[in-house]
Amino acid sequence: MNTTEKNMAATILRLEDDRVTGPDALRVTRLPAADKGGQWEICGICDGIEPDVFYHLKSLLDAGKKEEAWEGCLQYVLDNTAIVRSWIGSDAHPATEFILRDHYFNSGRKNTGKILQRALNDHGAALAEDGIPGEATRQALQTILSRGNESQFLASLHERRKSFYRSCKQFPVFGKGWLNRSENAYRFASSLV
């Protein structure tokens, strides 16, 4: 894990739990009743979705091995979202990679594929918005990024992400937090351009 990847993963963990600023602040928290990830989480790593990872990390925290738990969280985020880099084709666009990794970690592959396809269509692609980042989506992304103006593309991803959140059934419950997360993620991504 290089420094940029480590910063991306740490930022995603902070976006999941803004009280977690590093290993010493890592903690287990109860999920809201409306959350479908289970009952407990460690920075978005939930007992109901990834129980083996959650309980391993919890056992490290219970044993006072906070540094090891932190490194495990960072690695899990990167492993869980690694496919995003294959869509881009390289590590040359960390800003776009970060926004897509963060949305992937928060909302899953298909939803991330949809916001990506919509943003690409905003920039002249003619893609089906099926949420499956196949060869056509990857080619369009690589072409648009090779043109230069990544900041403009990031702005489209950001708008498409906010639109996605607004369309969710649970927006009345979680919407304010989702939009705050989107703004904070966009701010961090913009610093990587």
Side-chain angles (χ1 to χ4, degrees):
M1 160 180 0
N2 66 39
T3 302
T4 301
E5 291 170 332
K6 195 169 192 170
N7 287 339
M8 282 191 222
T11 301
I12 290 169
L13 293 175
R14 280 192 299 276
L15 292 171
E16 287 288 336
D17 184 344
D18 63 0
R19 293 184 191 164
V20 174
T21 56
D24 289 334
L26 202 56
R27 65 201 180 117
V28 176
T29 57
R30 181 174 282 286
L31 286 166
D35 194 300
K36 297 178 183 170
Q39 293 183 326
W40 302 98
E41 72 171 331
I42 301 169
C43 295
I45 303 167
C46 306
D47 66 339
I49 296 173
E50 50 280 292
D52 292 343
V53 176
F54 172 84
Y55 286 109
H56 172 69
L57 294 170
K58 183 180 182 306
S59 72
L60 291 172
L61 289 175
D62 290 346
K65 298 179 179 179
K66 293 180 177 186
E67 286 287 340
E68 194 175 337
W70 178 251
E71 290 299 319
C73 288
L74 294 174
Q75 194 61 57
Y76 178 76
V77 168
L78 293 175
D79 291 347
N80 179 265
T81 62
I83 195 155
V84 167
R85 185 168 290 166
S86 74
W87 300 347
I88 297 169
S90 75
D91 64 355
H93 301 283
T96 298
E97 181 179 338
F98 172 76
I99 285 285
L100 293 172
R101 279 185 186 259
D102 182 54
H103 195 69
Y104 190 108
F105 193 77
N106 185 246
S107 300
R109 180 180 181 149
K110 193 161 189 172
N111 292 326
T112 304
K114 285 180 183 178
I115 70 158
L116 172 59
Q117 290 165 334
R118 290 170 183 158
L120 291 168
N121 286 343
D122 291 342
H123 289 268
L127 300 165
E129 295 174 2
D130 60 5
I132 302 168
E135 187 58 34
T137 299
R138 294 171 192 207
Q139 274 302 146
L141 176 58
Q142 292 167 22
T143 298
I144 286 169
L145 290 174
S146 72
R147 292 181 189 155
N149 198 349
E150 188 173 8
S151 294
Q152 189 177 25
F153 183 66
L154 272 180
S156 292
L157 275 174
H158 179 53
E159 289 305 315
R160 289 304 185 166
R161 185 177 189 182
K162 291 189 301 184
S163 294
F164 163 76
Y165 285 139
R166 287 186 186 105
S167 73
C168 292
K169 284 186 240 178
Q170 291 187 310
F171 185 78
V173 177
F174 297 114
K176 183 177 177 183
W178 288 339
L179 294 178
N180 285 339
R181 181 192 186 121
S182 187
E183 291 299 329
N184 290 328
Y186 179 64
R187 195 172 304 115
F188 177 78
S190 296
S191 76
L192 299 174
V193 178

